[in-house]
Every structure is written in C-alpha cells, then in structure tokens.
Amino acid sequence: MELVVARNRAELVKARGEGPIALVPTMGALHEGHRALIREARALAARVVVSVFVNPLQFGPSEDLSRYPRTLEADLDACRAEGVAVVFTPAAEDMYAADRQVGVSAGHMGTIVEGTARPGHFDGVLTVVLKLFNLVQPDLACFGQKDAQQLAVIRRMVADLDLPIGIVGVPTVREPDGLAMSSRNRFLSAQDRERALALSRALSAGAVEATPSRVVAVAREVLGAAGLDPDYLTLVDPATFEAVPEAYKGEAVLAVAARVGRTRLIDNALIRL
C-alpha cells in the first residue's frame, strides 16, 4: 500500500477512502510507542490514518511549542514501514481559522491532576481531537495509556457527545530500562535520563502496596531519593481522575509528573487494589 500524504482538508477528503478506518492522532516525532498505536490500529481496521499536527491549543504560554521536535520526513518513513494508508499533516492555519471562537471544554476533569499544572490543556486536546474525528470520520481511534488522563477525557467526550467512534487504549511502551517512551526524552542529558528512571521505579514500588496512602507514600519516597519533586503524584479513578478514597478497591491509575532538568515528564501505572 502506497502512503498518501494529505497536507490540507481537500487532500484528506480525496485520500481517506472507504472504511473501516482507524485514526492515530499524533504530534509527530514518532517513536516505538506511536508505532505500537499504529500496529494496533492496523489489526483493527483496513485503513489507518495518522495525523501529524503539533496542536498549538494544548500548549500554554510558557510551554515548549517552538521547542517541540518536528521530524516529518522520519515520521513519514515510519508510517510507510507500518503500512499506514494516509498521513494527514495540516498547517495550523488550515486547522484553525484566525477568528475561531468555538472549542470543546473538558469540564471538571480537565481542571484536575494534569489540568491543574496545565490550565486549558485538555480543552485544546479535545478541540483538535473532535476536529480530527470530523475530518477523518474514523470508525475507531487509538490513544496511548501513557497519557492516561487524555485517554479518559477523550472517552468522556465521546460518551457525552454521542460520537460513533470506538476509543482504543494501548499500553505504554517503555525502554528496556523502564523509561516510558516520549518525544521529549530526546531533550534529557545522560545524567537527567538516569534520574528520570525514578518515575517508573516509583510507580513499580507503589503498585505493590495495599492501600492508596501507602501506594503514594512509597512512590514518593523513591522520587525523593532521586531528588525529584513531582508536580503531582496521585492515585485516581481511571474514569474520572478523582483521587480514590482510602477504602477503595479495584483498578486505579497511579499518575506522576515531574521536571527532570528542563524537561517535564509524565508517567502512570494502572494498578489493582
């Protein structure tokens, strides 16, 4: 299958073809984690569309929009190797009108945990995802569990707005030493990359504890030993991202965000109490 690159809406309409279609939304700088999403999408649908778009709406004023890696040619090579049918790579002005007024609100879930550190971030995520859904018209879309709160707010949007799209969560892909794959890992110095391993170690250490307070306390000890002061470290309900009570039983997400050097990283683990 020859890869088609659609650089605007008109080219996408011509290229998308007939379903079943699976969408893999990305901001580019593709790594093995993205390739796992594409492979899952290919297993579930006849045609896969990958979007490569660095979405300005999900970056705050002091965040790294200009610094975010852009590696389009390498991304296209990866998509060819994985059998992708279409890559949609629009310009910002093609996605957003200069006088844009309407967007999507993530509601309360968009203001907690990661939303506390990044106000408006999830509103920007949902706005671009809904636009991609409308443009691509997929039957299903694949998102990584590494961005667990993003996955939760997208599932909520699909449910609340009655969108006829299946949402597939794909497990986090990690380096052999446990570091969760991220496009931002390339910004870590060798020393900071070693310190960053404390995130996955903290999650693993907390995951074997029996109560929410012990889960968080043990994980925090591991981070502290590495000199990391997290933006947050919390055990939450996977569907709502509200902190779970001490008597909670069942699945929960242990979520963490921390700055390692100049690079902010997030990670999480799905555990069962």
Side-chain angles (χ1 to χ4, degrees), residues 17-265:
E18 298 300 322
I21 293 175
L23 171 65
V24 180
T26 82
M27 292 206 299
L30 304 187
H31 50 66
E32 189 60 30
H34 295 107
R35 293 177 80 136
L37 295 176
I38 294 169
R39 290 172 196 141
E40 181 68 16
R42 284 203 69 203
L44 297 171
R47 290 172 62 80
V48 174
V49 176
V50 172
S51 63
V52 175
F53 178 62
V54 181
N55 176 31
L57 294 193
Q58 65 193 73
F59 289 81
S62 62
E63 293 181 340
D64 57 353
L65 174 60
S66 62
R67 188 171 173 245
Y68 196 87
R70 291 160 171 83
T71 59
L72 181 58
E73 290 308 315
D75 296 343
L76 295 178
D77 288 343
C79 288
R80 287 188 187 96
E82 296 295 343
V84 171
V86 180
V87 171
F88 179 45
T89 175
E93 54 269 26
D94 196 52
M95 288 294 284
Y96 300 119
D99 60 348
R100 182 188 70 86
Q101 298 184 42
V102 177
V104 180
S105 169
H108 174 67
M109 199 191 309
T111 67
I112 58 178
V113 192
E114 183 73 2
T116 300
R118 303 181 70 187
H121 168 71
F122 290 113
D123 295 352
V125 168
L126 292 188
T127 297
V128 76
V129 168
L130 182 58
K131 288 176 72 69
L132 289 169
F133 286 173
N134 288 332
L135 290 167
V136 177
Q137 299 178 29
D139 298 276
L140 59 95
C142 295
F143 296 89
Q145 177 65 34
K146 176 179 172 291
D147 297 294
Q149 190 170 1
Q150 172 180 280
L151 180 58
V153 297
I154 289 169
R155 282 178 166 151
R156 185 70 197 222
M157 176 181 74
V158 166
D160 286 353
L161 299 184
D162 298 312
L163 302 178
I165 298 168
I167 302 300
V168 180
V170 179
T172 301
V173 177
R174 298 184 180 276
E175 301 282 0
D177 57 10
L179 183 67
M181 289 194 173
S182 169
S183 301
R184 291 183 171 91
N185 289 350
R186 68 189 67 199
F187 298 134
L188 296 168
S189 67
Q191 181 180 10
D192 285 339
R193 194 191 181 289
E194 184 65 28
R195 292 178 65 219
L197 296 179
L199 272 69
S200 58
R201 288 200 302 264
L203 298 177
S204 296
V208 299
E209 297 297 323
T211 65
S213 59
R214 285 295 299 162
V215 168
V216 172
V218 169
R220 190 174 295 277
E221 288 173 6
V222 175
L223 293 174
L228 298 183
D229 182 20
D231 287 353
Y232 59 79
L233 174 64
T234 184
L235 191 66
V236 298
D237 183 303
T240 66
F241 261 68
E242 294 285 359
V244 300
E246 187 67 7
Y248 183 85
K249 301 296 181 185
E251 282 193 334
V253 172
L254 179 57
V256 63
R259 190 167 293 278
V260 185
R262 294 180 58 201
T263 304
R264 187 175 184 273
L265 300 176

